Amino acid sequence: MYNEALLHLNLTRRSQFTRRNFLQAAALGVAGSPLLSQIQLNAAEMKKQGRACILLWLAGAPSQMETWDPKPGTPNGGETKKIQTQTPGIEIAHYWPKIASVMNDIAVVRSMTGKEAAHERGTYHLHTGHRMLGIEKFPHFGSVVARELGDPNSDIPNFVSIGQTLSSGFLGVQVAPFIIDRPGQLPDNVTSTASATRQRRRLALLSQQESDFAQAGAAALVKEQSKLYQKASLMMTSPRLKAFEFDGESEDVQTAYGKNQLGQGLLVARRLVEAGVPFVEVRSTGWDMHNSIFRNMERRAPDVDQGLSQLLTDLKQRGLLDKTLVLCMGEFGRTPKINARPPVPGRDHWVRNFNLLMAGAGIKGGQVIGKTDDNGQEITDNPVQVEDLFQSMCKAMGINADMELHTPIGRPVRLVDGGAVIKGLFG
């Protein structure tokens, strides 16, 4: 699932229009088409604005009742208490005091509903916006952002993941995630041990060998790999590599994020966004709490609470939050009813209702969208489908959710198949 796709999609890189729109534009005369001019201006404007997205992925599926929709004092509430946030009327679980202090910048969506209750399938659904059906491997949303908003000639990747994630699917290796596991350190193998002259000779020899390979019938694969080698060569000499390290960051700032893998990963995410990377994912593990959920929450929540609250504060202070979408979510939710698993109970998989956080990029903070009943078992107001979420993500990033992608066999598919922007999400 995590292998990078080797298929390449031959698309117009900056296109943001459907085939129907293209034909309409052609009828008007392509060169002077107002539609095409608007499309080009929109893509250029998004790049100029430096739009970006940071996804904090809570792998394993966090419990909605131990995060943003607690139900203390009810049969399903368990040991979790609720605390007041800085936004009057919004209460969240007691494990999150620092998130509570920045709630004015956050929109809580309590009425997410999904269709996939298995980890792999749910992870795929919430990363691509599509269910795992058929033979097509849809791209990670980060790969779409990299293709639409990234600089194709960038000397560092347009999509970085701190921890493992999904591949770029049929969009190809050019927008695949660049995965690192040690935030704050340079990625492996980016420092050349050879002189510039020797490096050029090596690349020339490689080019000659690949030419023979291409003539033997592998031209498309050779073309892809050649582009990757060129990008790798650029990256090795890029002054922006320093974004992966903490040079220039004070000890106080590093401590504010948390001296742990998650906190340091979020600090690197902020540095990468500042350096021009349009999509960064940071992965937090350990949220599959079938057992000992309340004890595990005490262990897992503090790093996320500290790191995410500091990220939002830092982005805002630096003037970046208005153009950076921040998401915090997992693949589904957990059962409202506490299970009876020995030795200490927990909660199992649940897709009927779960929750997530969204902030930045025009999203109106200090609000709750959707509502569940007193026992947390049913959505009673404003259900939000996965397609609605992806429509909203596209709006925040300035990407046309109705654009067509094409599978390796040429079949057109919409980036987001249905849904609508979440009502009231944007200010």
Side-chain angles (χ1 to χ4, degrees):
M1 179 176 180
Y2 294 120
N3 292 336
E4 292 183 353
L6 293 179
L7 296 170
H8 177 63
L9 179 63
N10 185 20
L11 292 176
T12 304
R13 183 174 292 274
R14 296 277 77 80
S15 63
Q16 291 193 23
F17 47 88
T18 64
R19 183 162 44 191
R20 178 182 295 177
N21 287 340
F22 176 80
L23 293 173
Q24 290 173 343
L28 295 173
V30 171
S33 167
L35 174 61
L36 293 186
S37 297
Q38 182 60 43
I39 289 166
Q40 293 162 356
L41 284 172
N42 183 58
E45 182 63 25
M46 289 301 105
K47 290 182 192 175
K48 184 172 68 176
Q49 289 179 6
R51 284 294 171 107
C53 177
I54 297 174
L55 167 62
L56 173 50
W57 182 254
L58 306 184
S63 165
Q64 64 277 12
M65 299 180 76
E66 276 63 57
T67 51
W68 327 123
D69 194 15
K71 305 290 184 180
T74 69
N76 293 337
E79 299 175 17
T80 299
K81 306 175 185 65
K82 62 183 178 181
I83 57 173
Q84 176 62 50
T85 69
Q86 74 172 164
T87 306
I90 298 181
E91 297 173 319
I92 60 176
H94 73 273
Y95 308 102
W96 309 96
K98 294 183 178 179
I99 292 294
S101 72
V102 294
M103 187 54 66
N104 286 346
D105 295 315
I106 297 172
V108 179
V109 181
R110 287 180 174 164
S111 54
M112 284 299 305
T113 182
K115 296 181 176 69
E116 302 289 358
H119 291 295
E120 183 179 11
R121 298 180 69 88
T123 298
Y124 185 92
H125 198 192
L126 269 293
H127 276 81
T128 68
H130 294 264
R131 297 177 71 187
M132 191 182 286
L133 304 172
I135 61 173
E136 290 90 4
K137 290 184 70 173
F138 282 89
H140 190 305
F141 184 70
S143 295
V144 175
V145 172
R147 192 192 72 150
E148 294 303 307
L149 302 185
D151 178 0
N153 300 313
S154 175
D155 55 1
I156 60 174
N158 287 309
F159 174 13
V160 175
S161 181
I162 302 170
Q164 292 293 324
T165 191
L166 275 69
S167 78
S168 52
F170 56 68
L171 285 189
V173 294
Q174 297 303 312
V175 290
F178 182 81
I179 296 173
I180 63 173
D181 295 313
R182 299 187 306 278
Q185 299 180 37
L186 282 177
D188 292 336
N189 303 318
V190 297
T191 303
S192 176
T193 57
S195 67
T197 301
R198 190 171 186 181
Q199 187 74 8
R200 284 194 295 270
R201 285 203 302 265
R202 288 177 175 177
L203 289 173
L205 177 60
L206 178 64
S207 178
Q208 181 180 349
Q209 293 174 333
E210 287 189 329
S211 178
D212 296 337
F213 190 35
Q215 291 176 11
L221 181 59
V222 167
K223 183 178 179 181
E224 280 291 288
Q225 295 304 309
S226 178
K227 289 179 181 178
L228 288 179
Y229 288 131
Q230 292 170 13
K231 285 182 176 290
S233 182
L234 278 174
M235 186 175 176
M236 291 170 69
T237 58
S238 172
R240 294 195 291 166
L241 271 178
K242 63 184 180 182
F244 289 95
E245 299 181 294
F246 294 145
D247 289 350
E249 294 291 348
S250 70
E251 186 69 20
D252 287 347
V253 169
Q254 295 180 52
T255 301
Y257 274 87
K259 285 298 191 74
N260 53 70
Q261 177 85 0
L262 188 278
Q264 302 301 278
L266 290 170
L267 176 52
V268 169
R270 189 220 77 202
R271 290 175 61 84
L272 289 170
V273 165
E274 283 186 307
V277 176
F279 195 97
V280 184
E281 179 173 348
V282 182
R283 180 181 171 91
S284 171
T285 59
W287 296 92
D288 191 19
M289 299 179 185
H290 293 279
N291 299 88
S292 305
I293 188 167
F294 306 112
R295 186 171 63 194
N296 284 328
M297 284 299 302
E298 296 285 358
R299 291 200 294 253
R300 291 291 173 187
D303 289 354
V304 176
D305 187 42
Q306 179 175 358
L308 180 56
S309 60
Q310 179 59 30
L311 173 68
L312 294 172
T313 299
D314 211 357
L315 289 172
K316 189 173 183 178
Q317 289 175 347
R318 293 166 182 267
L320 296 172
L321 188 57
D322 286 344
K323 53 188 178 182
T324 304
L325 172 64
V326 179
L327 295 159
C328 178
M329 62 184 182
E331 56 265 47
F332 39 75
R334 308 206 75 83
T335 52
K337 185 176 180 179
I338 300 169
N339 64 35
R341 293 195 184 196
V344 183
R347 300 186 192 272
D348 299 319
H349 298 183
W350 182 260
V351 295
R352 190 178 300 173
N353 55 276
F354 57 104
N355 57 193
L356 53 82
L357 301 183
M358 304 181 76
I363 287 169
K364 180 183 176 183
Q367 65 164 328
V368 171
I369 290 174
K371 185 179 180 181
T372 58
D373 65 16
D374 290 343
N375 279 324
Q377 293 181 304
E378 301 289 345
I379 294 172
T380 59
D381 180 55
N382 196 11
V384 176
Q385 304 286 338
V386 173
E387 292 78 13
D388 302 329
L389 172 64
F390 274 76
Q391 287 276 353
S392 304
M393 291 158 58
C394 286
K395 177 177 173 63
M397 298 303 294
I399 293 174
N400 181 7
D402 295 327
M403 69 184 293
E404 284 186 352
L405 305 176
H406 291 80
T407 69
I409 62 172
R411 184 171 73 90
V413 292
R414 288 176 60 183
L415 173 57
V416 184
D417 190 11
V421 173
I422 300 171
K423 185 178 180 180
L425 180 63
F426 292 88

